[in-house]
């Protein structure tokens, strides 16, 4: 079986963990004989990080909506208007895909045609989980990808999302037909579900399940840790940080956050005798727009020398497997990146979270640490210090509560398999001929 997973950003280890979780969940249904066609924003770099010899079932290709269409990058009104005309012509040219005529040659490179042929022949299309359908970002590229999929006869499954609210007229106009065509929309929280109910034709296909990365939980290890009660401490703590462009107060807000994390690092060394390592999911990849180690180094540069000698910054790239192996050896993690939080919990390491979006607050509630959660928009060094002390003093309680919850989150994440299974059975019943007919009908609509 061939499965498309689109809209991935595998240079972000958290996003790669979502891909691996989707892969794990689908293989629980289909066995090992599955090929994953992963349409990513930067596939060449991703292929270097996840080489074919180590991941033979994954083929990384350029996301068609980013290679075929053109997008504005400045305020040149004329150029931006011409790009919209070009994009409409590109959609029309899909009627001639593979014909070899002028329109086919003009709008699609050889690689585009190969990608579109693979996409067209795939058995299942999934848009990856995450938080990319929010209005902090332009949704035009994502919407173009969904429209392209529709024209090729695909009904896209939305994997576990945190999305909305949608207030911009363009998004409210374009998303309803996309959601209507989807047979299944998985959401990470009830808030996201509520935020799309007025845009969805059939709310019964919207299901709230745990973040897909919880499917990667080491269930046997977590059960063993719950039996042991108090694992031997390693004396090491991890901290994940990030720069956040949308923090309240702008640069002043980021300064407050940095001061707060710096205070926690100081207290961990001075008062709790820990060695601290800054490590995160977005680092060590020069081609990626985000590098959390830069923020970490800024924080460490402001520590006093006697504290700094016990603090290090791991600035290297790590795959999800490598990151989880590192988290396994930590007493706990202070996590700003949500998937650093989830991957740590998946190997039985408790987490004190710092939320920069509501998605982290929802996870914190589900795993029982919302009373010590810190909010990037309001955190102060005094609050951070106080909640850190509470977390450390009650670590046994937070570990036990969180790990019991992780077992439930794992079961919830894996329940996506039960929701997808009927769709796969329906595909098998319809057969390839039915899929080809669907493609032809959608292309004919544009004639």
């Amino acid at each position: 079986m061939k499965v498309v997973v689109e809209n991935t950003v595998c240079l972000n280890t958290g996003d790669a963990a979502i891909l691996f979780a989707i892969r794990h969940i689908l293989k629980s249904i289909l066995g090992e004989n599955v090929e994953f066609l992963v349409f990513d924003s930067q596939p060449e770099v991703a292929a270097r990080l996840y080489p074919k010899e180590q991941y033979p079932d994954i083929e990384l290709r350029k996301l068609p909506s980013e290679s075929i269409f053109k997008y504005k990058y400045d305020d040149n009104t004329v150029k931006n208007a011409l790009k919209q005309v070009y994009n409409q012509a590109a959609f029309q040219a899909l009627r001639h895909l593979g014909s070899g005529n002028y329109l086919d040659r003009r709008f699609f490179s050889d690689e585009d045609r190969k990608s579109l042929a693979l996409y067209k022949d795939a058995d299942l299309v999934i848009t990856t989980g995450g938080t990319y359908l929010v209005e902090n970002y332009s949704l035009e590229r994502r919407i173009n990808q969904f429209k392209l999929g529709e024209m090729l006869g695909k009904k896209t499954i939305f994997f576990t999302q945190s999305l909305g609210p949608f207030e911009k007229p363009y998004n409210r106009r374009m998303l309803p037909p996309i959601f209507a065509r989807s047979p299944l929309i998985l959401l990470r929280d009830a808030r996201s579900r509520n935020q799309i109910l007025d845009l969805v034709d059939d709310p019964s296909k919207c299901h709230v399940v745990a973040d897909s990365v919880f499917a990667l939980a080491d269930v046997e290890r977590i059960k063993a840790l719950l039996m042991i009660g108090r694992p031997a401490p390693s004396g090491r703590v991890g901290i994940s940080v990030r720069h956040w462009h949308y923090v309240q107060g702008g640069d002043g807000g980021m300064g407050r956050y940095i001061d707060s994390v710096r205070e926690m690092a100081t207290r961990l060394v001075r008062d709790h005798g820990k060695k601290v390592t800054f490590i995160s999911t977005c680092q060590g990849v020069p081609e990626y727009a985000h590098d959390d180690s830069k923020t970490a180094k800024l924080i460490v540069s402001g520590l006093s020398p006697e504290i700094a000698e016990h603090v290090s910054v791991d600035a290297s790239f790590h795959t999800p497997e490598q990151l989880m192996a590192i988290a396994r050896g930590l007493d706990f993690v202070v996590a700003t990146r949500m998937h650093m939080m989830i991957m740590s919990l998946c190997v039985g390491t408790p987490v004190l979270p710092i939320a920069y979006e509501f998605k982290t607050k929802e996870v914190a509630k589900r795993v029982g640490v919302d009373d010590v959660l810190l909010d990037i928009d309001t955190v102060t060094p005094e609050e951070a210090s106080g909640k850190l002390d509470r977390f450390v003093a009650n670590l046994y309680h937070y570990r036990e509560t969180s790990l019991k919850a992780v077992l439930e989150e794992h079961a919830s994440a894996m329940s996506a398999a039960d929701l997808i299974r009927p769709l796969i059975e329906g595909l098998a019943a319809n057969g390839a001929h039915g899929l080809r007919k669907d493609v032809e009908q959608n292309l004919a609509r544009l004639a």
Side-chain angles (χ1 to χ4, degrees), residues 189-391:
D189 48 77
R191 176 173 169 175
S192 291
R193 186 179 187 276
N194 292 338
Q195 286 174 168
I196 63 167
L197 286 181
D198 64 334
L199 302 178
V200 175
D201 60 324
D202 179 10
S204 69
K205 67 185 179 186
C206 301
H207 299 266
V208 176
V209 297
D211 186 281
S212 57
V213 175
F214 279 110
L216 302 178
D218 187 339
V219 171
E220 295 307 312
R221 174 178 170 81
I222 291 170
K223 288 179 178 177
L225 288 171
L226 286 170
M227 289 180 63
I228 293 168
R230 291 180 182 272
S234 67
R236 294 184 294 126
V237 170
I239 300 180
S240 156
V241 294
R242 69 158 300 164
H243 183 82
W244 183 235
H245 294 288
Y246 309 102
V247 64
Q248 289 184 13
D251 290 342
M254 270 305 296
R256 175 176 38 74
Y257 163 69
I258 286 170
D259 288 344
S260 300
V261 177
R262 189 177 286 140
E263 176 66 15
M264 282 194 284
T266 299
R267 294 292 299 273
L268 283 166
V269 172
R270 187 188 66 209
D271 301 340
H272 300 290
K274 303 292 186 181
K275 291 188 178 296
V276 174
T277 300
F278 282 84
I279 185 169
S280 195
T281 54
C282 300
Q283 58 182 47
V285 184
E287 298 89 345
Y288 190 42
H290 306 283
D291 187 346
D292 297 341
S293 69
K294 293 180 179 179
T295 303
K297 289 174 182 176
L298 177 61
I299 292 169
V300 173
S301 70
L303 294 172
S304 62
E306 64 273 16
I307 299 297
E309 65 178 321
H310 301 284
V311 179
S312 61
V313 176
D314 180 340
S316 300
F317 167 79
H318 301 287
T319 67
E321 301 101 325
Q322 293 166 345
L323 201 54
M324 290 167 75
I326 293 169
R328 194 176 281 120
L330 301 173
D331 291 340
F332 60 88
V333 171
V334 178
T336 307
R337 289 283 185 182
M338 190 186 77
H339 282 108
M340 185 70 199
M341 175 185 185
I342 293 175
M343 282 188 276
S344 299
L345 290 168
C346 280
V347 294
T349 301
V351 176
L352 192 165
I354 304 174
Y356 63 91
E357 286 182 320
F358 75 87
K359 61 184 181 181
T360 305
K361 297 177 183 180
E362 296 296 327
V363 174
K365 290 177 187 175
R366 291 168 73 117
V367 300
V369 293
D370 49 316
D371 63 318
V372 289
L373 176 136
L374 298 164
D375 188 327
I376 197 170
D377 285 326
T378 59
V379 64
T380 63
E382 293 75 22
E383 182 195 20
S385 177
K387 288 192 172 179
L388 174 66
D389 286 347
R390 186 195 309 173
F391 185 76

Side-chain angles (χ1 to χ4, degrees), residues 124-249:
L124 196 68
V125 173
I126 291 172
T127 185
T128 192
T131 315
Y132 51 92
L133 296 178
V134 292
E135 290 188 339
N136 281 339
Y137 317 119
S138 169
L139 303 189
E140 185 180 4
R141 293 171 195 244
R142 309 305 185 190
I143 287 170
N144 281 346
Q145 184 63 37
F146 298 141
K147 288 169 62 180
L148 186 152
E150 178 183 354
M151 293 175 62
L152 294 178
K154 302 306 180 184
K155 296 183 178 181
T156 303
I157 293 171
F158 285 75
F159 233 82
T160 42
Q161 308 275 322
S162 293
L163 46 69
F166 300 110
E167 298 174 353
K168 295 179 180 178
Y170 170 79
N171 295 333
R172 293 191 64 81
R173 183 175 71 254
M174 301 302 295
L175 288 172
I178 291 166
F179 291 145
R181 186 167 176 79
S182 174
L184 179 63
I185 301 173
L186 302 178
L187 302 155
R188 289 193 291 211
D189 48 77
R191 176 173 169 175
S192 291
R193 186 179 187 276
N194 292 338
Q195 286 174 168
I196 63 167
L197 286 181
D198 64 334
L199 302 178
V200 175
D201 60 324
D202 179 10
S204 69
K205 67 185 179 186
C206 301
H207 299 266
V208 176
V209 297
D211 186 281
S212 57
V213 175
F214 279 110
L216 302 178
D218 187 339
V219 171
E220 295 307 312
R221 174 178 170 81
I222 291 170
K223 288 179 178 177
L225 288 171
L226 286 170
M227 289 180 63
I228 293 168
R230 291 180 182 272
S234 67
R236 294 184 294 126
V237 170
I239 300 180
S240 156
V241 294
R242 69 158 300 164
H243 183 82
W244 183 235
H245 294 288
Y246 309 102
V247 64
Q248 289 184 13

